[in-house]
Amino acid sequence: MTNRFVVIDIETTGNSSKKGDRIIQIAAVIVENEQIVDQYTTFVNPCTSIPVFIEELTGINDEMVKDAPLFEEIADDLLKILEGSIFVAHNVLFDLSFLQEEFKRIGRSEFVGLTIDTVELSRVLFPSSDSFKLFDLTESFSIHHERPHQADSDAFVTAKLLLHCINFAKELPLITLEQLSLLAVGLKSDIEVLFEAILHRKKKHIENLPEHLEVYRGIALRKKKKKHIERNYRERYEYPISPNEKEKLLSQTIKHFEVRDGQFEMMDIVYESLRLKKTALIEAGTGVGKSLAYLLPSLYQSVQENKPILISTYTVQLQEQLLQNEIKKLENMLPFAFKTVLLKGRQHYINLFMFEQSLHDEDTQYDEILSKMQILVWLLNTETGDIDEINLSSGGKLFWNRIKQGGWHLKDKDPWVSRDFYLNARKEAENADLVITNHAMMLIDFKQESSLFRTFDYVIIDEAHHFEKCARHFFGKKLEYIPCKYLCSKLGAFEKKQAFFQLEKLIDSNKITPKTPAFELDFSIIELERSIDELFLGIADRWMFERNKQGTQAKTQIRLVNKWMDESKWQPVKYCAEKIIATINEINSSINGRLTSLKRISEKLNEKEKAFVEEIYNIMNEFHELQKTIQMLLIQHSNDHVYWIEGDVKVIPNSITVQSQPISVKNQLGTAFFSKKKSTILTSATLTVNNSFSFFENELGLNHLEHLVKKQIPSPFYYKEMTKLIIPNDVPEILHVSSKEYAESISSHLIAIAQATKGRMLVLFTANEMLRQTHNFMKESGLLEDFVLIAQGITAGSRTRLIKNFQRFEKAILFGTNSFWEGVDIPGEDLSCLVIVRLPFSPPDEPYIWAKSKALTAEGKNPFTAYSLPEAVIRFKQGFGRLIRRDTDKGIVIVFDRRIDTTKYGKAFLQSIPKIPVKHASLKEIIEIVEKWF
């Protein structure tokens, strides 16, 4: 392999040379013998104007390129630099293909040689990275990136990234490098050449494997660390009762610790509730420090009673925050050692035996090859074996379904059982002081016969405002077209050469004669796939019929009502559902017969064959679940559930989903969960409506419990000085005009306000359509050309990616719907203005809301005051909480929906947030307020 790499980066007027886009800057960094030896950079005259967005992104304008050379004047220099080199770029396909098109356009010969894509290389070597964008990678490796999106700076840091990757790869175990080198042949760039060169050098020396690693069955992985707690059980550790004792304890390890009375108060409530076996509801305002406020007393209670305490959260982010921040502080702070374990559902953990056997497959699929390489590197670092640690592609997640932990079915012992991550996590949890899990896992375990969590008498539920909704999802069912088709494809008809084909080969090779001939089973599998297509097309027809009748949007939910069951239009769907259930029974019977025969001779099977049999068992378990789901959703309805069909007219039948949820979960949770625990603490920043916990209590079935402790702990922030709320008085009432008219009206206000705040604005919507209309009005106005508009569902990227982009640009406006109302943390000056377009009431025709309203009416209650209003108030509080995240934050909240002021129920919203100045103002007055404020 050549020791010369040329790292290229280009800035262009757009994405396609064929469509007339041109290069405006190009840079090349030459790397020889793992050193940067030279650089070349130049602006290029594109002979066309640079688009505003590109200018904003790169900082390159028409003036900077007007006297620059044309591409044809630098082409020969570039080809000379590239000669005999490996072409390297971050997303090499874009840079190289654009350059090749430019060479072709001017009649020069194209580059011929090897390529390395640092995106692909980083995916392999750093599989746990949150993002593989150049800016994010260089930031995580502390590589200084002076001017992102300018070619010279981008090329230089890409060269630094390449060297970082090479140095990292050189430290990999020999066995891992050998496996990566073999797999890398299937990648898109020539990374195998790099691995082979490193491997060649490494083989010249005797390898000393690091102490923390081991090689087992040909795979290098991190050794299991058993955390042994040395504790003097005769010594009684007393909880710090007084404020002085708490301050002394916390200030020892927390730098610049400031006493927060609310935090100390919450600690005492949690400790007393656990000690006296009470259930407590605690609403802790932003800045109280609730995580530490429940963890510290929990650990004292756990150690004093020698009983574990279960901590349940809704989001992975909070779990990571607890483990990486608060738990580490407490380990350094407390006078005793303790053990914390994170435990998730079985499907989150890798099955090492299945993965080992998958390495012997002859792969052709890119995503599988990449995922195997990522997992081989990840195993050198992971202590948990949890998929949430690894950044897999969507195709990689399909591969994970093959190798996730699904239990054991053969009597033969799994050779990896001593190193199994899931079993290890469960075993560690049995001896832990704190076990951290998520709401879904706690609910799943709660229903299982061999429940681990059922023995936990003490539970703390953080992010508790999500618990009821999470329980509804858990006790409901969901049927989707794509997963059904994927499940069928995993088994596959005989000619598809998937699992069924391989099963028949295994049966034949062991001279087993099944009761059901292969051709009959093959016919059933083909018939099943055809029936699933018919089923979803039939459901889609009914969904389209109802959608057209109601005149709703392209993407919508339609209630699936009981009267449909007897209608002629629904009979083909019902017949198809029954046929699928019967066909799955036939397939199940035939395959179980084969599996039983193989189980009898399992000692004769080799390890790859055993892994395959386990895979078939897992597939059949999925078919059993599918059978139950179809039965419950399409044949046997319950009056306690609501059912609906969801779809998008643009993507039929792929978008079709059938769902059900219980109308209420208070009986299941109240009697079967909360009443079985000695003490449960439920906490969140948003549990009350108008200073009352009644809504939350009722939804979770807590109102029948004795000894219920309820406490609101206000935020320590001085909101009156930090923020004010403005209600524009010159926009139309939202219910008096069309959605389009309203969007047009608020757009003009938002443009003016954005110019006054210089962006730094988060605009929260309740509907995608209004977000789209408002975004388009603002963009098309031509008044915000130097602003970056980032909109959920319009701008590509995840929520995290959109937020990062928002923080990166100086003048940015972020538009968000549902998921942006909570969990968005943008501290400091990056966010200075929060806009709430509409009070967040759920649409009354949404299936669950409709069913809930009907049930409440039957109970003699007013659905609006009993459910719709309190639900909207809690969501409003979550949205309001996006602005002030730290005690140094400052900003303005603007609520366009005048119902907050003009209706009686509007007071409930204002009375549920901290007391702050409320102003009614025209646009002109708002601008004056904003300019004075900032």
Side-chain angles (χ1 to χ4, degrees):
M1 182 192 81
T2 178
N3 279 322
R4 179 181 163 94
F5 302 90
V6 176
V7 183
I8 295 285
D9 191 85
I10 60 175
E11 302 302 334
T12 66
T13 58
N15 293 325
S16 174
S17 173
K18 288 180 180 177
K19 293 180 180 177
D21 291 320
R22 294 290 176 261
I23 294 171
I24 56 175
Q25 189 186 28
I26 186 163
V29 177
I30 294 94
V31 176
E32 290 180 356
N33 300 315
E34 297 175 27
Q35 295 287 326
I36 293 173
V37 296
D38 202 0
Q39 296 179 63
Y40 168 89
T41 184
T42 180
F43 288 117
V44 181
N45 189 337
C47 299
T48 184
S49 60
I50 297 172
V52 173
F53 173 73
I54 298 297
E55 184 180 331
E56 172 70 23
L57 184 70
T58 64
I60 301 171
N61 57 42
D62 292 333
E63 185 67 25
M64 295 164 74
V65 299
K66 72 174 184 180
D67 297 323
L70 301 174
F71 182 75
E72 27 283 63
E73 294 172 326
I74 63 165
D76 290 333
D77 292 340
L78 285 173
L79 286 167
K80 191 174 179 181
I81 290 169
L82 290 168
E83 190 178 345
S85 306
I86 294 177
F87 188 109
V88 181
H90 202 71
N91 188 3
V92 76
L93 187 63
F94 172 77
D95 294 84
L96 181 58
S97 60
F98 205 106
L99 262 183
Q100 301 286 47
E101 284 295 329
E102 286 292 86
F103 285 138
K104 193 190 299 183
R105 179 178 65 83
I106 64 169
R108 298 293 198 281
S109 57
E110 297 178 28
F111 167 78
V112 178
L114 301 173
T115 65
I116 286 179
D117 185 355
T118 50
V119 175
E120 192 172 54
L121 185 58
S122 298
R123 278 188 173 278
V124 171
L125 297 178
F126 312 113
S128 296
S129 293
D130 292 331
S131 163
F132 298 104
K133 288 187 178 290
L134 183 61
F135 180 87
D136 298 324
L137 284 169
T138 53
E139 189 176 51
S140 66
F141 300 135
S142 301
I143 298 171
H144 179 59
H145 197 170
E146 192 175 338
R147 284 171 285 105
H149 301 295
Q150 286 207 5
D152 53 341
S153 181
D154 285 356
F156 184 77
V157 298
T158 302
K160 289 275 193 181
L161 176 61
L162 173 68
L163 293 172
H164 183 77
C165 289
I166 291 170
N167 289 328
F168 182 86
K170 284 176 2 187
E171 299 301 316
L172 294 174
L174 188 66
I175 186 73
T176 305
L177 268 171
E178 287 173 338
Q179 289 162 325
L180 292 177
S181 187
L182 286 170
L183 288 164
V185 176
L187 295 180
K188 292 175 181 175
S189 66
D190 301 300
I191 290 171
E192 79 276 6
V193 176
L194 182 64
F195 287 147
E196 283 166 6
I198 295 170
L199 196 56
H200 178 72
R201 276 177 270 169
K202 204 171 180 77
K203 282 181 175 178
K204 292 180 180 178
H205 307 282
I206 295 170
E207 180 178 45
N208 291 314
L209 203 65
E211 181 62 30
H212 67 282
L213 296 179
E214 63 172 335
V215 176
Y216 183 72
R217 294 176 63 86
I219 296 176
L221 70 161
R222 194 179 190 90
K223 290 177 183 174
K224 292 275 186 294
K225 276 197 305 187
K226 293 205 180 280
K227 190 174 181 183
H228 181 67
I229 300 299
E230 293 287 346
R231 191 184 292 151
N232 183 352
Y233 286 95
R234 292 182 181 180
E235 184 174 352
R236 182 168 177 82
Y237 299 101
E238 296 296 336
Y239 171 75
I241 295 290
S242 72
N244 287 339
E245 288 174 303
K246 292 186 185 75
E247 183 179 358
K248 184 180 177 183
L249 184 65
L250 272 69
S251 59
Q252 287 174 352
T253 52
I254 300 176
K255 284 185 179 180
H256 313 298
F257 175 74
E258 292 181 12
V259 172
R260 285 175 275 188
D261 294 336
Q263 186 179 52
F264 288 0
E265 183 184 11
M266 182 170 172
M267 285 179 182
D268 291 342
I269 294 167
V270 171
Y271 181 69
E272 286 301 304
S273 298
L274 292 171
R275 191 176 69 83
L276 300 175
K277 300 175 178 55
K278 294 180 178 181
T279 297
L281 309 181
I282 306 172
E283 182 180 76
T286 305
V288 165
K290 66 179 168 61
S291 300
L292 209 57
Y294 63 69
L295 286 171
L296 186 144
S298 298
L299 282 163
Y300 274 95
Q301 169 69 12
S302 176
V303 169
Q304 288 170 359
E305 296 284 321
N306 196 23
K307 293 268 187 177
I309 291 184
L310 182 64
I311 312 285
S312 180
T313 74
Y314 180 66
T315 59
V316 173
Q317 291 93 324
L318 181 55
Q319 290 177 356
E320 290 173 355
Q321 179 193 314
L322 295 180
L323 287 167
Q324 298 304 319
N325 297 336
E326 277 73 12
I327 294 295
K328 286 185 177 178
K329 287 176 187 173
L330 288 163
E331 284 173 342
N332 295 323
M333 181 191 304
L334 297 181
F336 52 83
F338 62 90
K339 184 175 178 180
T340 306
V341 173
L342 175 65
L343 185 61
K344 298 184 181 180
R346 188 194 295 268
Q347 72 281 2
H348 279 265
Y349 298 90
I350 190 171
N351 182 322
L352 288 166
F353 181 51
M354 301 290 273
F355 175 65
E356 175 201 0
Q357 297 308 312
S358 77
L359 293 174
H360 305 308
D361 295 344
E362 293 181 6
D363 290 309
T364 54
Q365 285 193 320
Y366 174 78
D367 283 320
E368 282 200 15
I369 293 166
L370 178 62
S371 299
K372 287 177 184 179
M373 296 176 76
Q374 288 181 292
I375 291 167
L376 283 167
V377 176
W378 170 64
L379 286 172
L380 302 172
N381 295 297
T382 184
E383 295 180 9
T384 67
D386 174 9
I387 186 182
D388 285 340
E389 291 180 354
I390 186 167
N391 191 344
L392 295 174
S393 65
S394 54
K397 287 172 185 172
L398 293 178
F399 171 66
W400 179 270
N401 284 330
R402 275 184 57 202
I403 60 162
K404 67 186 179 185
Q405 181 55 266
W408 293 270
H409 305 91
L410 296 177
K411 59 188 176 185
D412 305 67
K413 189 177 179 183
D414 178 350
W416 284 91
V417 75
S418 62
R419 289 160 178 81
D420 184 76
F421 288 105
Y422 176 65
L423 291 180
N424 181 67
R426 281 190 71 101
K427 192 174 180 181
E428 291 288 296
E430 289 169 2
N431 302 303
D433 298 296
L434 287 183
V435 175
I436 298 173
T437 191
N438 56 56
H439 298 347
M441 170 64 182
M442 184 168 68
L443 290 163
I444 289 166
D445 188 84
F446 157 68
K447 277 186 77 175
Q448 291 174 347
E449 288 180 19
S450 57
S451 170
L452 170 67
F453 294 155
R454 200 168 289 173
T455 60
F456 282 61
D457 292 326
Y458 303 97
V459 179
I460 293 178
I461 300 175
D462 199 348
E463 300 177 303
H465 61 281
H466 281 294
F467 194 55
E468 184 269 343
K469 189 176 181 180
C470 195
R472 277 196 277 121
H473 282 285
F474 173 71
F475 290 115
K477 288 287 182 185
K478 191 173 187 179
L479 181 69
E480 297 175 278
Y481 179 72
I482 297 294
C484 285
K485 291 292 285 182
Y486 177 65
L487 179 57
C488 287
S489 71
K490 283 206 289 187
L491 189 58
F494 192 82
E495 66 174 14
K496 298 287 178 63
K497 298 189 176 179
Q498 295 302 311
F500 169 50
F501 172 82
Q502 294 169 37
L503 179 62
E504 291 310 293
K505 277 179 64 180
L506 186 58
I507 290 290
D508 290 344
S509 66
N510 285 281
K511 297 182 171 55
I512 295 170
T513 306
K515 189 175 176 183
T516 308
F519 74 88
E520 283 189 21
L521 180 50
D522 189 42
F523 178 79
S524 296
I525 292 168
I526 293 168
E527 193 61 28
L528 175 63
E529 193 157 0
R530 188 182 297 128
S531 297
I532 282 172
D533 282 334
E534 287 177 16
L535 177 72
F536 278 91
L537 285 170
I539 295 168
D541 280 346
R542 185 58 194 254
W543 175 82
M544 287 286 285
F545 174 77
E546 294 294 332
R547 177 194 159 275
N548 292 338
K549 200 164 66 172
Q550 296 177 21
T552 51
Q553 297 171 6
K555 189 176 182 180
T556 191
Q557 297 174 341
I558 302 289
R559 272 184 297 113
L560 200 169
V561 293
N562 284 336
K563 69 176 184 178
W564 288 10
M565 296 296 165
D566 301 320
E567 291 179 5
S568 57
K569 281 182 180 293
W570 191 251
Q571 291 316 300
V573 173
K574 196 173 179 183
Y575 168 76
C576 218
E578 289 167 347
K579 186 179 175 184
I580 289 169
I581 289 170
T583 306
I584 291 175
N585 277 335
E586 291 168 11
I587 293 169
N588 194 44
S589 175
S590 301
I591 288 183
N592 275 343
R594 287 161 164 78
L595 291 173
T596 302
S597 299
L598 288 169
K599 208 170 182 178
R600 290 195 197 103
I601 60 156
S602 62
E603 67 281 353
K604 294 181 182 178
L605 303 177
N606 63 38
E607 287 183 335
K608 188 170 184 180
E609 290 167 342
K610 287 175 184 174
F612 172 68
V613 171
E614 293 285 5
E615 190 177 339
I616 294 290
Y617 270 111
N618 291 336
I619 289 171
M620 295 320 295
N621 284 344
E622 289 183 62
F623 272 113
H624 180 62
E625 283 302 312
L626 173 60
Q627 207 175 17
K628 286 198 300 186
T629 299
I630 290 173
Q631 178 75 29
M632 291 178 70
L633 288 176
L634 300 174
I635 297 171
Q636 200 171 10
H637 277 195
S638 163
N639 291 330
D640 297 332
H641 283 62
V642 58
Y643 302 81
W644 71 91
I645 305 167
E646 196 168 316
D648 186 339
V649 73
K650 298 172 188 172
V651 199
I652 296 292
N654 293 26
S655 63
I656 290 295
T657 303
V658 187
Q659 288 190 68
S660 76
Q661 283 183 12
I663 297 167
S664 172
V665 290
K666 61 184 178 184
N667 290 335
Q668 291 103 312
L669 293 178
T671 57
F673 181 79
F674 292 116
S675 61
K676 300 284 175 70
K677 302 300 174 188
K678 288 182 180 176
S679 175
T680 306
I681 313 292
L682 298 105
T683 184
S684 165
T686 52
L687 295 183
T688 65
V689 177
N690 211 358
N691 301 311
S692 168
F693 287 95
S694 298
F695 175 69
F696 184 76
E697 289 175 62
N698 188 57
E699 289 301 297
L700 266 69
L702 296 168
N703 33 16
H704 71 284
L705 294 178
E706 296 179 11
H707 313 301
L708 188 62
V709 178
K710 294 180 272 188
K711 183 66 183 177
Q712 278 183 281
I713 299 175
S715 168
F717 297 158
Y718 296 103
Y719 277 94
K720 285 183 179 179
E721 297 173 13
M722 300 167 79
T723 187
K724 60 178 63 179
L725 189 146
I726 302 173
I727 305 167
N729 57 21
D730 54 355
V731 294
E733 290 272 9
I734 194 163
L735 298 180
H736 295 172
V737 293
S738 69
S739 171
K740 188 176 179 181
E741 288 174 300
Y742 188 73
E744 192 170 5
S745 174
I746 65 169
S747 295
S748 58
H749 278 62
L750 286 170
I751 289 166
I753 295 165
Q755 289 169 334
T757 62
K758 297 181 175 59
R760 302 179 296 170
M761 178 190 290
L762 171 61
V763 189
L764 294 177
F765 295 81
T766 59
N768 294 320
E769 181 62 15
M770 187 170 286
L771 180 152
R772 188 188 62 79
Q773 289 172 340
T774 307
H775 170 270
N776 291 348
F777 279 129
M778 292 174 69
K779 189 172 184 180
E780 291 163 8
S781 71
L783 298 171
L784 297 173
E785 288 193 352
D786 54 342
F787 285 71
V788 178
L789 274 58
I790 301 167
Q792 183 184 11
I794 297 172
T795 310
S798 64
R799 186 180 79 160
T800 304
R801 167 63 34 217
L802 298 184
I803 292 167
K804 281 190 175 181
N805 286 341
F806 172 72
Q807 291 176 290
R808 189 174 298 170
F809 292 104
E810 189 176 339
K811 290 184 175 181
I813 304 169
L814 180 59
F815 302 79
T817 56
N818 303 325
S819 64
F820 280 79
W821 283 77
E822 62 177 308
V824 173
D825 194 355
I826 309 174
E829 291 186 359
D830 288 340
L831 177 62
S832 300
C833 181
L834 173 73
V835 176
I836 293 175
V837 169
R838 184 171 187 162
L839 295 178
F841 287 103
S842 295
D845 57 350
E846 196 176 277
Y848 177 76
I849 303 299
W850 179 90
K852 185 77 175 179
S853 299
K854 190 178 176 186
L856 289 167
T857 301
E859 294 173 19
K861 295 177 181 176
N862 181 326
F864 180 78
T865 53
Y867 189 80
S868 296
L869 178 60
E871 185 210 30
V873 168
I874 284 177
R875 199 160 165 225
F876 180 82
K877 289 172 71 174
Q878 290 160 3
F880 176 85
R882 297 314 94 217
L883 183 63
I884 304 298
R885 307 302 300 164
R886 308 286 185 275
D887 58 4
T888 54
D889 289 351
K890 186 178 179 182
I892 287 174
V893 180
I894 299 172
V895 180
F896 277 111
D897 193 338
R898 291 169 62 190
R899 289 178 296 175
I900 197 169
D901 181 54
T902 60
T903 61
K904 287 183 180 179
Y905 60 77
K907 292 177 183 176
F909 292 91
L910 294 174
Q911 288 170 354
S912 295
I913 59 173
K915 285 184 167 47
I916 57 173
V918 177
K919 302 278 185 184
H920 302 80
S922 65
L923 177 57
K924 185 182 177 183
E925 291 166 333
I926 292 171
I927 301 305
E928 289 173 2
I929 293 168
V930 168
E931 287 173 347
K932 284 179 185 176
W933 186 261
F934 294 111

